[in-house]
């Protein structure tokens, strides 16, 4: 029986956050604290904020150049 390979890289934080928000929204609708229409509005607003944050341009690290060594003229 083959075993599943362990995932490499970082933990899928986005997936955990998505599932937590989905579960929270479901519980709030089932308990009656939020209407499905209001939850859809909140979800749209949060999705827009997340898209703006996730697709922001990354700042590049300035490249460090080694200091120039003075050259002496040959005699």
């Amino acid at each position: 029986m083959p075993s599943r390979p362990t995932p490499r890289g970082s933990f899928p934080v986005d997936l955990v956050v998505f599932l937590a928000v989905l579960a929270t929204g479901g519980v709030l609708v089932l308990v009656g604290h939020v209407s499905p229409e209001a939850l859809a509005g909140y979800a749209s607003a949060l999705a827009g904020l997340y898209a703006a944050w996730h697709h922001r341009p990354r700042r590049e690290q300035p490249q460090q150049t080694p200091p120039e060594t003075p050259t002496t003229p040959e005699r």
Side-chain angles (χ1 to χ4, degrees), residues 2-3 6 12 18-19 24 29 38-39 48 50-51 54 56 60 67-68 71-73 75:
S3 63
T6 58
F18 170 74
L19 292 176
T24 303
V29 168
L39 183 63
Y50 175 76
H54 187 65
R56 71 185 187 278
E60 294 184 19
E68 293 183 20
T71 57
T72 58
R75 291 185 186 183

Side-chain angles (χ1 to χ4, degrees), residues 14-27:
D14 289 344
L15 177 63
V16 172
V17 171
F18 170 74
L19 292 176
V21 170
L22 185 66
T24 303
V27 167

Side-chain angles (χ1 to χ4, degrees), residues 46-70:
L46 287 175
L49 289 174
Y50 175 76
W53 172 78
H54 187 65
H55 296 295
R56 71 185 187 278
R58 300 199 185 271
R59 288 189 287 168
E60 294 184 19
Q61 297 286 341
Q63 295 180 355
Q64 295 182 1
T65 57
E68 293 183 20
T69 56

